[in-house]
Amino acid sequence: MKPNLKPPAWINSLIDSFAPSWLAEEIQGDLYELFVKDILTDNIQSARRRYVVNGLGFLFKNFFWKRSPSQKTATMFSTHFKMARRSLAAQKGNALINILGLVTGIAATLIILTVVRFERSFDAAHSNVDDIYRVVRVSGNDMSEFRTGISYPVPVAMKAEIPALKNMAAMEYFGGANLDILNASGTTAKRFREESGCVLVEPSFFTLFDYGHGGIAWLAGNPDKALVEPFSVVLTKSAAKKYFGDENPIGQSIRFQKQHDAKVTGVIEDFPANTDFPFTVLVSYSTLTKLAGNGINEWVGVSDSHQVFIQLAPGITKEAMEAQIAKVHAAHTPKELHESRHYLLQALRDVHYDPRFGNFSGRTITRETILALQLVALFLLLTGSINYVNLSTAQSTLRAKEIGLRKVMGSNRKTLVFQFLTETFVIVLTADILALALSEALLPLLQPILNLKLNRLNFTDPGILFISLGIVVGVTLVSGFYPAWTISRFHPVRALKNSFATERLGGMSLRKVLVVFQFTLTQILVVGTFIVVSQMRFFQNVDMGFTREAIITARVPDRSAEGLKLLEDQLRAQAFVSDVSFSYTLPSGVNRNRSYSDIGPPESKEMKDYTVYEYVSIDPSYLGLYNIKLLSGRNLTLADSMQNILLNRNLSKTLNLGTPEEAVGKQLKMNGHLVTVVGIVDNYYSNSLKEGFDNIVMVAEPKSFSTVSIKLRAGEHANLPEAVQAIEQLWKKNFPDHVLSYQFFDENIKAFYAQENKYAQLFQLFSLVFLLIGCLGLYGLITFVVNRKGKEVAIRKVLGANVSQILLMFSREYVQLVALSFILAVPVAYYVVNNWLSNFAYHIPLSWWHFATPGLVVLLIALLIVSTKSARTANANPVDKLKYE
């Protein structure tokens, strides 16, 4: 019997099954050659065994042959990344400029988007956020007065008469308070003065506002009973720690305003940073009946700090609920009141974004501002991408031979595009990682400016990481595709000969367009920022109609005539005190008392006959201390009481009293009584410059004095720390049970524009970022141009050109581009800033120099960069460039 000289067929079947068709025959051929050699040197059985071993070994070594395309893809990726690394290493300068531009742009973008995400997250986590509304008050026949206050009986009537209400929470925010921590014997152990965070709330507050995730965590106390009884208090965790340390706060006593004792019945987790309910001390709403007395049934009187939030039942629309509230209000009030006062609903999602009504946190941001920030972020990414496009297309001729060789060796256009996109991806990914780290390092420094309170790092925030990944993909495609497509289309023969110049590509004209676009964006922001800063300076320097420097203000705890007189005499005896005045409120500022009433002609009978005014009770020193100008008549004395009054010019004009001189001596009807005008004072800004002049009535009512104003003397005694220390000592002497809480009057006024100032600083920062990115791109382009035209410059110098002519040659084109960008930027900037300024009743007039000044600055910076880089080439010895030709 003949021996079987064929290899095992089942091995060939395995190779046919697992190896690629284009490789199986070659594998089997190699194995058969080894099989024949084994037969010649050994016996057939040994040869067949070795054939099996070699075949199986080959298959195990190269397992999953069917997946070879993915292996091929992995190899291709590895090759592309290796080539990208080598290419970037060979062009370190360009790579560094691109990375710096992208790092700057992406880091600023991440910071902006962190701000936007924080602002948009305010009170968005509540389970029923889309069904929760705040009841607001809009008054006047023209619906021009926007308020948040709701009369005390309104929520009670709504609960009783509107069955469609699913839930309601009324609250009275009294902000600051004197808090005394009592020990077991009832004596004061600690004293605190809180400037904010104190509120009266209904128990339903915690079911209406649950902050998601099961609601605010209760650390101690019963959520259902803690705020039921009057004078019950729930503290946040940080407040409890502040007042009681490590002691158990439950059952402890707190005395409010030196008068009312309350018992701690619960402790909750601190409210999140992204809420417009920044409460720390929550008192039971039922306490209001004990504090307000008969005012709890007052339908006409209203306090803006008393607010109501409701949740609509399914199927009930906002408009239907407003109609039902109007019906309830009309059933309990006179016709003239409910026809001029309208209770409307404001969605909870709008509370943080509507400055007309404000909120408990005292900070709002308009949706237009958020949109502006998002556009800035988008444009920052675009400017960084533009830098990459410009430099990549500008450098394309330096890689012409490389592209030609790749095409000759078989690379197709798709492969080349992928190669250059890989290079872009490496740069963008590197920049993104560095930008993420940079933004993380900068955010703690910027949080005071941005008014942020972030609880976790960007590296651990899934939202930011997702945005960061999106930026990598987006910027890679936007900035990398055009250069990759342009470079990959080079003809191999012309590329190898290097017989074309950049100008013959479509890229040169595109680079001009992109440079213009980039600097147009930069100049829009720079011009806008310049005008915003000018408006902020206008706020700080405008004559508001009173003196605001070197004045300390504080609330006085003792309103008795004897106590105020004693404090005044002691203060006036101090060398550093120039003047002292007591009043109900301050001329202006965020932190001041506000009270409004009605005044009209003596014959006034109906509501339409009256004009709303702001009540200001003053002593005789008030006008002199604040330097408020008396236009006619006389100042008030303490003997005038409520019979004689002062009006400001605006109210006198509104009441048609004639000139300031003619108004003196006329009678008016105020609070149902006739009063006589004894003087007219000049207008002053009692509110921010966003609003116009208010109507003001000044009276001399000592029992309402609640604020002391202390004017410090300038000159040799103007040692501020010593003055404040001396005032604190006098305060302790006169009011040993009260903590002095003072404020400088000018700081109080600056608080009007705190939000605008923060965003002005923010836009200044981003203007610098835009300039930096633009300048990096310009530096990269001029570097390339200078290097490419080195021999041309040398020849020009040999032929007689001087340095200034060469500098002009380099700078002419860029000056034209920057000038064109300025022309395009001006109308856009004018439209934007003019709309922004229209939000203010008083603002700077726009002049040509508001636009020309920042435009000239940008042009000079661009010229400086171009000139600095090109000056070295212009001053170089032409022999060094020509001797090797």
Side-chain angles (χ1 to χ4, degrees):
M1 183 178 178
K2 276 188 174 183
N4 185 3
L5 299 180
K6 293 182 179 180
W10 62 275
I11 288 294
N12 290 334
S13 298
L14 285 177
I15 293 173
D16 288 334
S17 300
F18 288 100
S21 58
W22 52 272
L23 195 58
E25 186 177 350
E26 183 177 348
I27 295 171
Q28 291 170 351
D30 290 343
L31 289 175
Y32 190 77
E33 287 182 10
L34 292 173
F35 178 70
V36 172
K37 288 182 180 179
D38 289 337
I39 291 177
L40 295 176
T41 59
D42 210 336
N43 57 46
I44 184 65
Q45 288 78 11
S46 178
R48 288 173 62 85
R49 283 197 300 270
R50 290 192 181 182
Y51 189 93
V52 171
V53 172
N54 289 337
L56 291 176
F58 186 85
L59 288 173
F60 278 115
K61 182 179 178 182
N62 300 280
F63 198 61
F64 299 123
W65 277 107
K66 294 274 185 172
R67 300 188 183 184
S68 59
S70 63
Q71 291 184 343
K72 184 179 179 182
T73 302
T75 303
M76 182 181 67
F77 270 107
S78 176
T79 302
H80 283 314
F81 277 103
K82 187 181 297 183
M83 294 302 298
R85 180 178 56 80
R86 291 173 180 174
S87 176
L88 296 176
Q91 303 175 39
K92 295 183 180 67
N94 291 333
L96 181 61
I97 291 175
N98 280 325
I99 289 174
L100 284 176
L102 289 171
V103 165
T104 307
I106 295 174
T109 298
L110 290 174
I111 290 172
I112 292 175
L113 294 180
T114 301
V115 174
V116 170
R117 290 181 73 242
F118 178 73
E119 297 291 353
R120 294 183 66 178
S121 69
F122 268 68
D123 292 304
H126 305 299
S127 300
N128 302 296
V129 63
D130 293 321
D131 298 325
I132 301 175
Y133 293 83
R134 175 169 65 173
V135 183
V136 295
R137 187 177 90 251
V138 181
S139 303
N141 295 327
D142 57 352
M143 305 283 282
S144 60
E145 182 183 353
F146 302 94
R147 301 286 183 181
T148 55
I150 306 301
S151 297
Y152 290 129
V154 170
V156 178
M158 288 173 62
K159 282 182 181 178
E161 301 175 31
I162 304 179
L165 275 180
K166 185 175 181 180
N167 200 353
M168 172 189 289
M171 58 195 76
E172 172 92 5
Y173 186 70
F174 55 97
N178 291 306
L179 304 180
D180 294 345
I181 309 303
L182 307 182
N183 55 28
S185 61
T187 57
T188 300
K190 300 177 186 177
R191 296 185 180 91
F192 297 92
R193 169 65 192 177
E194 299 295 347
E195 296 300 332
S196 62
C198 303
V199 64
L200 301 167
V201 296
E202 289 188 297
S204 55
F205 174 87
F206 293 103
T207 57
L208 189 63
F209 303 104
D210 60 7
Y211 293 92
H213 309 294
I216 289 286
W218 281 74
L219 306 179
N222 187 332
D224 298 324
K225 298 179 179 179
L227 288 174
V228 174
E229 297 297 324
F231 297 107
S232 300
V233 180
V234 171
L235 301 175
T236 61
K237 179 180 178 181
S238 59
K241 180 73 174 178
K242 176 181 177 181
Y243 301 148
F244 301 104
D246 296 328
E247 294 182 46
N248 181 11
I250 300 299
Q252 302 274 14
S253 296
I254 300 178
R255 181 168 293 162
F256 286 82
Q257 302 295 80
K258 311 295 180 181
Q259 301 178 42
H260 310 289
D261 291 353
K263 183 176 291 186
V264 178
T265 55
V267 178
I268 59 174
E269 278 288 355
D270 292 347
F271 286 83
N274 57 341
T275 181
D276 287 315
F277 303 96
F279 304 150
T280 55
V281 179
L282 296 87
V283 184
S284 56
Y285 185 80
S286 57
T287 307
L288 190 60
T289 58
K290 306 291 184 181
L291 301 178
N294 293 331
I296 200 71
N297 301 313
E298 176 59 54
W299 282 86
V300 178
V302 63
S303 168
D304 278 347
S305 59
H306 181 250
Q307 301 187 22
V308 176
F309 290 81
I310 65 172
Q311 180 184 349
L312 301 185
I316 302 299
T317 65
K318 169 177 173 287
E319 292 73 19
M321 180 56 66
E322 288 176 344
Q324 293 188 52
I325 295 174
K327 184 178 179 181
V328 170
H329 187 232
H332 295 273
T333 57
K335 180 180 179 181
E336 59 180 356
L337 177 62
H338 65 247
E339 286 185 349
S340 63
R341 179 184 293 177
H342 309 275
Y343 289 123
L344 304 178
L345 297 183
Q346 179 193 33
L348 180 63
R349 287 192 181 275
D350 294 334
V351 169
H352 189 65
Y353 312 105
D354 193 344
R356 297 176 304 170
F357 297 104
N359 51 54
F360 295 122
S361 68
R363 54 171 288 177
T364 58
I365 179 172
T366 64
R367 286 192 167 89
E368 290 76 14
T369 302
I370 288 180
L371 177 61
L373 288 172
Q374 290 172 323
L375 288 175
V376 169
L378 175 62
F379 291 150
L380 281 167
L381 289 178
L382 282 177
T383 52
S385 301
I386 286 171
N387 276 1
Y388 188 90
V389 171
N390 282 342
L391 289 176
S392 295
T393 53
Q395 295 286 338
S396 60
T397 55
L398 301 180
R399 305 187 66 178
K401 291 184 178 180
E402 175 193 343
I403 305 307
L405 284 172
R406 286 177 179 271
K407 285 198 168 186
V408 168
M409 297 300 293
S411 293
N412 56 31
R413 191 170 188 181
K414 179 181 177 181
T415 304
L416 290 173
V417 168
F418 195 82
Q419 171 63 46
F420 291 115
L421 280 176
T422 303
E423 292 181 14
T424 305
F425 174 77
V426 171
I427 287 179
V428 175
L429 182 62
T430 303
D432 187 73
I433 294 172
L434 294 175
L436 194 59
L438 179 62
S439 65
E440 194 67 70
L442 291 177
L443 271 173
L445 302 176
L446 295 175
Q447 284 197 44
I449 298 176
L450 303 174
N451 204 7
L452 292 177
K453 293 180 181 178
L454 302 177
N455 297 323
R456 60 178 176 180
L457 302 174
N458 278 346
F459 279 112
T460 63
D461 187 337
I464 290 296
L465 293 177
F466 182 78
I467 290 172
S468 183
L469 178 62
I471 288 174
V472 171
V473 175
V475 173
T476 298
L477 293 176
V478 169
S479 60
F481 183 77
Y482 178 80
W485 186 258
T486 300
I487 296 171
S488 67
R489 72 179 185 179
F490 289 176
H491 191 277
V493 176
R494 293 175 60 194
L496 289 171
K497 291 182 178 180
N498 203 16
S499 60
F500 53 83
T502 313
E503 289 79 5
R504 295 179 59 184
L505 300 172
M508 184 59 185
S509 59
L510 177 67
R511 286 203 302 280
K512 289 182 179 179
V513 171
L514 292 178
V515 168
V516 170
F517 179 70
Q518 186 180 46
F519 274 91
T520 298
L521 293 178
T522 300
Q523 300 215 56
I524 288 173
L525 193 61
V526 172
V527 169
T529 301
F530 182 78
I531 294 174
V532 169
V533 172
S534 299
Q535 177 70 12
M536 292 299 105
R537 289 178 178 170
F538 173 71
F539 288 154
Q540 296 172 7
N541 301 322
V542 67
D543 181 7
M544 296 188 71
F546 50 77
T547 298
R548 49 185 167 177
E549 291 79 19
I551 298 175
I552 293 178
T553 64
R555 298 288 181 92
V556 288
D558 182 2
R559 299 188 181 185
S560 67
E562 298 79 10
L564 296 182
K565 178 62 177 173
L566 178 61
L567 178 62
E568 179 181 1
D569 291 342
Q570 291 176 347
L571 287 170
R572 289 187 182 277
Q574 305 299 315
F576 57 82
V577 174
S578 172
D579 204 354
V580 178
S581 173
F582 294 98
S583 60
Y584 169 72
T585 187
L586 302 172
S588 187
V590 171
N591 299 316
R592 67 187 186 98
N593 297 327
R594 287 177 174 84
S595 182
Y596 296 87
S597 191
D598 302 314
I599 192 169
E603 64 275 10
S604 298
K605 294 182 179 179
E606 299 181 0
M607 204 166 205
K608 63 180 182 179
D609 301 327
Y610 289 93
T611 299
V612 176
Y613 71 85
E614 182 179 357
Y615 164 88
V616 180
S617 178
I618 64 172
D619 68 0
S621 302
Y622 188 85
L623 297 184
L625 186 146
Y626 285 105
N627 199 24
I628 297 174
K629 187 176 181 182
L630 184 65
L631 299 178
S632 63
R634 65 173 178 83
N635 191 8
L636 293 174
T637 66
L638 295 180
D640 282 313
S641 186
M642 292 288 289
Q643 283 107 20
N644 298 324
I645 63 172
L646 297 177
L647 306 181
N648 72 333
R649 186 196 296 185
N650 194 66
L651 181 55
S652 176
K653 182 179 179 181
T654 302
L655 296 173
N656 297 314
L657 300 183
T659 64
E661 291 75 17
E662 294 171 342
V664 174
K666 290 187 177 180
Q667 288 193 320
L668 296 170
K669 193 174 185 180
M670 186 175 76
N671 299 328
H673 303 285
L674 291 178
V675 294
T676 302
V677 178
V678 298
I680 302 294
V681 299
D682 202 359
N683 291 331
Y684 60 84
Y685 295 104
S686 57
N687 299 308
S688 74
L689 270 71
K690 301 175 189 177
E691 308 168 47
F693 292 116
D694 210 345
N695 296 318
I696 293 175
V697 172
M698 293 180 171
V699 300
E701 191 177 15
K703 65 180 182 180
S704 67
F705 292 164
S706 60
T707 302
V708 59
S709 302
I710 307 167
K711 175 73 173 177
L712 302 181
R713 193 183 304 276
E716 58 179 325
H717 298 292
N719 189 318
L720 189 59
E722 291 183 4
V724 171
Q725 187 176 9
I727 293 173
E728 287 178 337
Q729 292 174 353
L730 285 176
W731 199 267
K732 289 179 182 178
K733 180 179 178 182
N734 287 275
F735 313 115
D737 294 333
H738 293 80
V739 178
L740 173 64
S741 178
Y742 66 91
Q743 186 175 22
F744 286 95
F745 184 50
D746 55 350
E747 294 296 328
N748 195 359
I749 294 173
K750 285 181 183 178
F752 274 135
Y753 317 108
Q755 199 73 357
E756 285 81 3
N757 268 317
K758 287 183 183 297
Y759 285 105
Q761 294 173 13
L762 193 60
F763 278 99
Q764 287 180 68
L765 178 62
F766 293 141
S767 295
L768 292 175
V769 172
F770 267 98
L771 271 175
L772 176 60
I773 295 174
C775 291
L776 282 170
L778 197 59
Y779 181 84
L781 283 176
I782 194 62
T783 300
F784 168 75
V785 172
V786 166
N787 292 339
R788 291 286 292 172
K789 293 190 175 184
K791 292 185 176 64
E792 177 186 341
V793 170
I795 293 172
R796 287 179 179 271
K797 291 188 73 174
V798 169
L799 295 177
N802 56 35
V803 173
S804 59
Q805 289 173 325
I806 294 172
L807 290 177
L808 181 62
M809 177 189 74
F810 282 122
S811 60
R812 183 189 297 114
E813 178 181 332
Y814 292 102
V815 169
Q816 292 172 349
L817 296 180
V818 174
L820 177 59
S821 69
F822 174 75
I823 295 172
L824 295 175
V826 166
V828 179
Y830 177 82
Y831 174 78
V832 172
V833 297
N834 191 53
N835 280 350
W836 180 74
L837 289 173
S838 65
N839 294 319
F840 301 92
Y842 299 92
H843 57 76
I844 58 173
L846 290 177
S847 302
W848 63 269
W849 60 270
H850 284 114
F851 300 89
T853 302
L856 184 61
V857 169
V858 174
L859 179 61
L860 290 176
I861 292 173
L863 271 176
L864 180 64
I865 292 170
V866 173
S867 300
T868 302
K869 186 61 184 177
S870 56
R872 182 181 301 175
T873 300
N875 287 309
N877 189 342
V879 175
D880 295 334
K881 286 288 184 181
L882 299 176
K883 65 182 179 180
Y884 297 110
E885 291 297 311

